[in-house]
């Protein structure tokens, strides 16, 4: 297929990744390949529902036309409502994020946890697979034979010295202790979680995954943060 045919093939999906520091978006072709430039804006501060919604509207205006949308959100969503979003304004809790995004985007829209979307973009679909994302917060997703086990929140679970995984491995502690020490903590976290889940494979993603350095065990794969966008197509798989 020529790039031109690919770009005009339908349906086209707007994939948005709402992060604690940036909101990113791109248009994907029906096979989940980028069909536009990536667009990015800083996450508004304070990151209230109204401010984030306006930022998403602005991003959408920068991109070509699309038919439907997938949004990755950095918190727990149950029945369309936000249960927690540790790195966004607390006014998000209780918000119907799906309704809000659908109204802002103006097309059929699905919303899922950001780490779940990252995971959908990378897992191979065999056995237990664990996905961890490192950005402003620490995200996690667990899969069994390619099916998501919902709402796993490793980030807010105790890790060491009375701190959670996010307290020790999020963006703030990374800046405080530097990449070397952060990598040491990360290896310890991977070993601890491997004992807990015995996954077939562990994927490490998110904006700070580019700072991960060897040695890593052979069953651990560092994946591109762009999977947080391209994985969005999988939310529409049953309708493809
Ligand atoms: C949230 C997760 C999210 C992760 C990465 C954590 O603070 O609780 O739901 O996936 O940050 O954004």
């Amino acid at each position: 297929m020529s790039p031109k045919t690919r770009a005009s093939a339908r349906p086209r999906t707007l994939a948005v990744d709402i992060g604690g520091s940036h909101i990113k978006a791109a248009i994907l072709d029906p096979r989940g390949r980028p069909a536009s430039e990536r667009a990015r804006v800083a996450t508004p501060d304070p990151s209230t529902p109204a401010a984030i919604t306006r930022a998403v509207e602005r991003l959408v205006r920068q991109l070509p036309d699309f038919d439907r949308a997938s949004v990755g959100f950095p918190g727990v969503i149950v029945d369309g409502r936000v249960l927690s979003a540790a790195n966004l304004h607390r006014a998000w809790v209780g918000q119907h994020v799906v309704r809000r995004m659908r109204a802002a985007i103006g097309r059929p829209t699905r919303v899922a946890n950001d780490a779940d979307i990252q995971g959908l973009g990378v897992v191979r679909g065999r056995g237990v697979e664990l996905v961890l994302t490192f950005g402003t917060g620490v995200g996690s997703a667990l899969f069994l034979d390619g099916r998501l086990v919902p709402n796993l929140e490793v980030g807010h679970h105790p890790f060491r010295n009375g701190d959670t995984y996010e307290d020790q491995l999020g963006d703030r502690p990374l800046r405080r202790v530097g990449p070397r020490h952060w990598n040491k903590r990360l290896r310890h976290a991977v070993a601890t979680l491997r004992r807990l889940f015995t996954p077939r494979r562990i994927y490490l993603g998110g904006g700070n995954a580019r700072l991960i350095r060897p040695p890593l065990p052979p069953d651990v794969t560092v994946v591109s943060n762009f999977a947080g966008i391209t994985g969005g197509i999988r939310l529409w798989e049953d309708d493809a």
Side-chain angles (χ1 to χ4, degrees):
M1 206 190 271
S2 78
K4 196 156 174 230
T5 329
R6 194 187 304 152
S8 59
R10 310 299 277 211
R12 304 212 305 167
T13 307
L14 163 74
V16 182
D17 184 11
I18 301 177
S21 62
H22 289 95
I23 306 176
K24 294 138 271 178
I27 305 293
L28 304 177
D29 76 6
R31 293 174 65 183
R33 294 169 302 195
S36 77
E37 298 290 312
R38 291 180 229 184
R40 190 174 107 132
V41 291
T43 305
D45 182 15
S47 50
T48 57
I52 298 242
T53 305
R54 272 196 304 274
V56 169
E57 283 167 350
R58 267 202 309 278
L59 265 185
V60 170
R61 282 199 293 271
Q62 292 173 30
L63 289 164
D65 195 24
F66 56 92
D67 306 289
R68 60 191 191 183
S70 296
V71 180
F73 181 82
V76 181
I77 303 164
V78 175
D79 295 335
R81 279 187 199 280
V82 177
L83 218 72
S84 69
N87 296 301
L88 295 183
H89 194 279
R90 62 180 179 284
W92 272 104
V93 175
Q95 287 281 322
H96 202 294
V97 62
V98 180
R99 235 179 264 150
R100 191 174 257 284
M101 286 298 126
R102 197 175 292 150
I105 292 170
R107 301 274 191 290
T109 299
R110 294 184 179 175
V111 186
N113 173 268
D114 53 357
D116 292 353
I117 292 193
Q118 175 101 22
L120 286 167
V122 299
V123 293
R124 295 175 192 177
R126 280 191 64 213
V128 175
E129 295 176 279
L130 178 66
V131 180
L132 300 169
T133 67
F134 300 91
T136 308
V138 172
S140 52
L142 187 67
F143 293 83
L144 175 60
D145 294 335
R147 275 200 70 190
L148 177 73
V149 179
N151 308 340
L152 179 75
E153 283 284 327
V154 161
H156 301 292
H157 206 257
F159 174 37
R160 54 195 283 266
N161 304 336
D163 280 349
T164 64
Y165 285 83
E166 189 161 300
D167 292 335
Q168 293 241 323
L169 288 161
D171 205 35
R172 243 168 274 136
L174 164 62
R175 270 183 267 145
R176 205 168 47 235
V177 303
R180 233 180 113 90
H181 192 65
W182 180 82
N183 266 279
K184 225 173 119 187
R185 286 179 176 178
L186 184 132
R187 282 194 286 275
H188 183 56
V190 165
T192 308
L193 293 169
R194 177 192 289 105
R195 278 198 299 278
L196 185 60
F197 294 108
T198 317
R200 190 179 284 260
R201 186 150 289 279
I202 300 178
Y203 304 89
L204 308 178
N208 289 332
R210 70 199 150 78
L211 300 173
I212 298 174
R213 295 285 174 267
L216 286 173
D219 58 343
V220 176
T221 310
V222 177
V223 294
S224 155
N225 191 35
F226 196 42
I229 297 275
T230 51
I233 197 85
R234 302 267 319 263
L235 294 185
W236 289 96
E237 209 143 69
D238 45 347
D239 292 43

